[in-house]
Every structure is written in structure tokens, then in C-alpha cells.
Amino acid sequence: MATLNISLPDELKTRMDATHENWSAIARRAFELQLNSTMKVGAEMDAVIERLRASKQKIEEEQRPVLTEYGREWAMEVAEYDQLTRVAELEAELENYPDADALFEALCQAMYEDTDKVSLQELTGLVTGHAGRRPSRDQLCWYLEGIQQVWNEVSDKI
């Protein structure tokens, strides 16, 4: 059997010495319980992570083509030249917008310099297809991807 040295505060050691407990047996049981708990939590977390990965992949497979197409449609049917150039510049600076709210605000500003003229619900509906659902950062990136595709196709021809 292996030996393990443990450091304890003096006061705790004094109180332990005053009892007639088998502290080695108690420590072994405590270590075993902790290991079992940690392994169980680790296994549960692995299952959670795997489930969420699958969910993320499913969402991307379902939503990315749709939102990319929404971006393409806006760029091809609605966008004016100045809007398209601002949004294309924004797409190149995505790392400056780490969260959905900051990116959404920047997209609103790029698409409509005066965001007071357009409601956020209207823009949310434009990006996601649902006026009541605020887009995630991934959804915004997919929308921008569609706009960028159009810009890449036309920028050198205009």
C-alpha cells in the first residue's frame, strides 16, 4: 500500500489526536468518494458537451444556408452601394465584435447609418426571419457571409 503525506493546520491535528478514529481509513473513504463524484461529474459533463456539440452542428446545418441566403437577398435586392461597402468592411473586422449585441449594433450601423429610422424588430426580422428573436453571433456571421459573397462577386465590376 502506498503512503501519502498530508499537511494539516496544527489546530486540526490536535483535535484529531484527541479522538480514537482511524484517520487513514476515513481519508481513504473520503478520497474514494471524491474520486467517484469527480469521475461521475466528468462523465456527465462529457455527455452534456457531446449533446451540445451535436445540437450546435444541427443548428449550423439548418440555419447557416438560410441566413446566408437572407444576407445574399438583402445585398442583391435592397442594399445600396454605400451600405454594401460598409457591411463588407464590417465582415472583415468580425474579431472586433466578440458578442452578439456588439456585432448586431455594428451591423445596424453599417446597414442603416441612422438606426433611429429603422426599428430593431425590423432588423431582427430581416436577419433571422423572425422579428421577435434576437440573432446570435453565429447567425449574424452567417448573414454577413451571404452579403460578403455578393460583395466578392460584384466589387471589382462596379
Side-chain angles (χ1 to χ4, degrees), residues 108-119:
C108 292
Q109 189 66 35
M111 291 172 72
Y112 305 98
E113 284 184 299
D114 185 1
T115 55
D116 293 337
K117 291 183 180 178
V118 65
S119 77

Side-chain angles (χ1 to χ4, degrees), residues 45-80:
M45 281 300 155
D46 288 345
V48 169
I49 290 166
E50 195 54 41
R51 180 185 64 77
L52 291 173
R53 271 191 194 132
S55 173
K56 179 181 177 184
Q57 183 177 354
K58 180 182 179 212
I59 288 169
E60 182 170 351
E61 288 170 359
E62 291 174 355
Q63 293 182 8
R64 188 177 198 158
V66 172
L67 295 175
T68 302
E69 187 56 33
Y70 286 170
R72 287 184 63 82
E73 287 173 7
W74 178 81
M76 293 172 68
E77 299 170 13
V78 177
E80 296 293 330

Side-chain angles (χ1 to χ4, degrees), residues 66-129:
V66 172
L67 295 175
T68 302
E69 187 56 33
Y70 286 170
R72 287 184 63 82
E73 287 173 7
W74 178 81
M76 293 172 68
E77 299 170 13
V78 177
E80 296 293 330
Y81 174 79
D82 60 331
Q83 291 173 304
L84 199 52
T85 57
R86 285 193 306 269
V87 174
E89 289 169 3
L90 172 65
E91 207 275 339
E93 299 174 352
L94 286 178
E95 69 278 353
N96 295 333
Y97 305 97
D99 62 71
D101 288 339
L103 182 55
F104 188 69
E105 186 177 321
L107 178 60
C108 292
Q109 189 66 35
M111 291 172 72
Y112 305 98
E113 284 184 299
D114 185 1
T115 55
D116 293 337
K117 291 183 180 178
V118 65
S119 77
L120 292 181
Q121 265 191 333
E122 181 183 335
L123 261 170
T124 300
L126 185 63
V127 173
T128 66

Side-chain angles (χ1 to χ4, degrees), residues 25-43:
I26 291 170
R28 280 193 298 274
R29 282 194 307 271
F31 293 148
E32 192 66 42
L33 285 170
Q34 181 62 38
L35 281 171
N36 289 341
S37 174
T38 301
M39 290 172 63
K40 181 179 178 186
V41 168

